[in-house]
Amino acid sequence: MSNREWHLLSRPVGWPKPEDFALVEAEVPTPGEGQVLVRNKYLSVDPYMRGRMSAAKSYVAPFELGKVMQGGAVGEVVESNAEGIAVGDHVLHFFGWREYAAVDARHAVKVDADAAPLSTYLGVLGMTGLTAYAGLLRTAAFKEGDAVFVSGAAGAVGSQVGQIARLKGASRVIGSAGSDEKVKLLVEEYGFDAAFNYKNGPVSGQLREAAPDGVDVYFDNVGGDHLEAAIGSLNQGGRIAVCGMISVYNNTEPAPGPRNLARLIQTRGRIEGFLVGDHYDLQPQFVQEVGPWVASGQLKYRETVVEGIENNLEAFLGVLRGDNTGKMIVKL
């Protein structure tokens, strides 16, 4: 058996290019003591991976040049040298961008393929969902009656933020997206009260029209003009949770900051960044609360599925372009 895996050959400058990567044939690894061999079935591609392609110091180590990259994956155990995990079990782990992975059992989480589709453990019931849950409820300290604005709202995280806010009693939920089709999805399927296409005009004006009484919480996935607009519409005591800033990930020069930060003095507003890794203590609570919402259909989700590991890179670039609706998944 061969094991195809994606390697990073050079660190991208600006937008990643195909020549920065290579799909390499390698041997299928042999699991050691305490390890399992997993045949990956679904791979995750996420915006944060762009940061790991840079050598700049960050919250997570950069990908090594000439070696296989990493990312969330779920697959079937085909060989086990570990207690508690048997052949045929399905596990969630962090060794994606490849077809087969030898994984330490302590880094593999068993998941139930009968309880939910396997792909959901990479999205709505996985790290993506927990990111939305922790960022909204803990970092942004959402409370019933808050008006909530979400950027990148048709993406995997943003779509869950808006729906959780609605289910938790938000007075108004507003989302931005990059196409009229996505705007329609936010309102008609996800239950947002209002949404707008940020390509149709200045974000600040569209936000003021969608939220004439201002916003209490802004969940930031985009940065740039979205962050500045949110500060401009922030109510007294408003909170901003910074999850991501996809608008600047491929910049070669530092992006200018919001020009209206002084408004935080007037509103006594707060901006706080967060990483989902700091909030894994919420995982049991998250599953207990969100799982039934997903099962009942109260919380809806979408997946954009790309077939074949040979298309893993294109799927990743699609996330940076905003091609996906909901979670981008690669099916092997």
Side-chain angles (χ1 to χ4, degrees), residues 162-236:
Q163 291 184 83
I164 292 171
R166 176 176 54 79
L167 289 164
K168 286 281 194 178
S171 61
R172 189 165 179 80
V173 179
I174 305 101
S176 72
S179 73
D180 293 340
E181 181 182 8
K182 290 180 179 179
V183 167
K184 184 177 180 182
L185 172 72
L186 292 176
V187 175
E188 295 185 0
E189 185 168 331
Y190 293 154
F192 282 59
D193 296 289
F196 59 86
N197 182 345
Y198 66 83
K199 297 177 182 177
N200 287 347
V203 175
S204 57
Q206 294 196 76
L207 177 59
R208 281 195 300 271
E209 184 177 348
D213 296 324
V215 297
D216 302 296
V217 168
Y218 170 49
F219 193 102
D220 191 13
N221 291 305
V222 175
D225 55 354
H226 281 75
L227 178 57
E228 186 170 290
I231 293 172
S233 287
L234 203 64
N235 290 330
Q236 184 168 317

Side-chain angles (χ1 to χ4, degrees), residues 4 15 90 113 127-128 134 136 145 147 156 185 207 212 228-229 244 251 282 326 331:
R4 290 180 294 173
W15 274 87
H90 292 93
M127 184 177 73
T128 300
L136 177 68
L185 172 72
L207 177 59
E228 186 170 290
N251 288 6
L282 288 176
K331 181 180 180 181

